[in-house]
Amino acid sequence: MTGITVLAVVAILAVATGLFLRSRSGAVRAVRNTDSETDALYPLLLDAGATTDSATVLHFSADWCGPCAAVRRVVQQVLDDRSDARELELDIDAHPILARELGVLSLPTTFVLDTTLQRRSRIAGVPSAAALRSALDAL
């Protein structure tokens, strides 16, 4: 009987954890920047190809990441309508130091950067087009 109880508790915790993670996937979260973080990230972002002429939608991906293709489509759909932002897709395997500094723990992860290359929003998972538009509109 104890084994069944333990199994039931583990199953309930697994389902609760899955539902929690699913609810956060694709949600836009505001990012707080500190001066020391910004100072450390600025040269890394410039080396990776970021520019200060417009807002940037930075998303990390990898060849082995299935959902990353969906992020590409959403980003392209949103940016096709805008001239005030650009896309920067980085392979996490090619830019591990930047990914570590930005705290990327899973793929896909997307950031909205302003023209000073400060992070304004972070999206884990595949964002909806409306969520990404609202993050860009908030700049």
Side-chain angles (χ1 to χ4, degrees):
M1 188 66 172
T2 304
I4 293 174
T5 304
V6 169
L7 182 63
V9 169
V10 169
I12 290 170
L13 288 173
V15 168
T17 302
L19 290 173
F20 173 73
L21 293 175
R22 186 181 205 185
S23 72
R24 292 186 55 177
S25 180
V28 176
R29 296 188 327 245
V31 176
R32 289 185 182 208
N33 294 304
T34 64
D35 290 338
S36 62
E37 286 176 334
T38 302
D39 293 343
L41 287 173
Y42 193 80
L44 293 172
L45 288 167
L46 288 176
D47 287 344
T51 61
T52 58
D53 59 347
S54 64
T56 303
V57 177
L58 166 65
H59 57 104
F60 283 91
S61 64
D63 292 338
W64 46 265
C65 173
C68 293
V71 173
R72 276 185 219 104
R73 287 190 298 273
V74 170
V75 169
Q76 199 61 41
Q77 175 187 1
V78 170
L79 294 184
D80 280 346
D81 302 336
R82 305 179 77 101
S83 62
D84 62 339
R86 64 182 290 268
E87 174 186 17
L88 178 60
E89 180 177 0
L90 298 177
D91 188 308
I92 195 167
D93 298 324
H95 298 277
I97 295 170
L98 180 58
R100 184 178 57 239
E101 290 295 323
L102 288 169
V104 176
L105 299 176
S106 64
L107 292 180
T109 299
T110 305
F111 295 92
V112 175
L113 309 173
D114 64 14
T115 57
T116 62
L117 300 182
Q118 289 197 6
R119 296 170 294 159
R120 296 299 180 189
S121 300
R122 177 187 182 115
I123 307 163
V126 180
S128 68
L132 186 56
R133 276 190 196 97
S134 69
L136 285 167
D137 289 342
L139 296 179

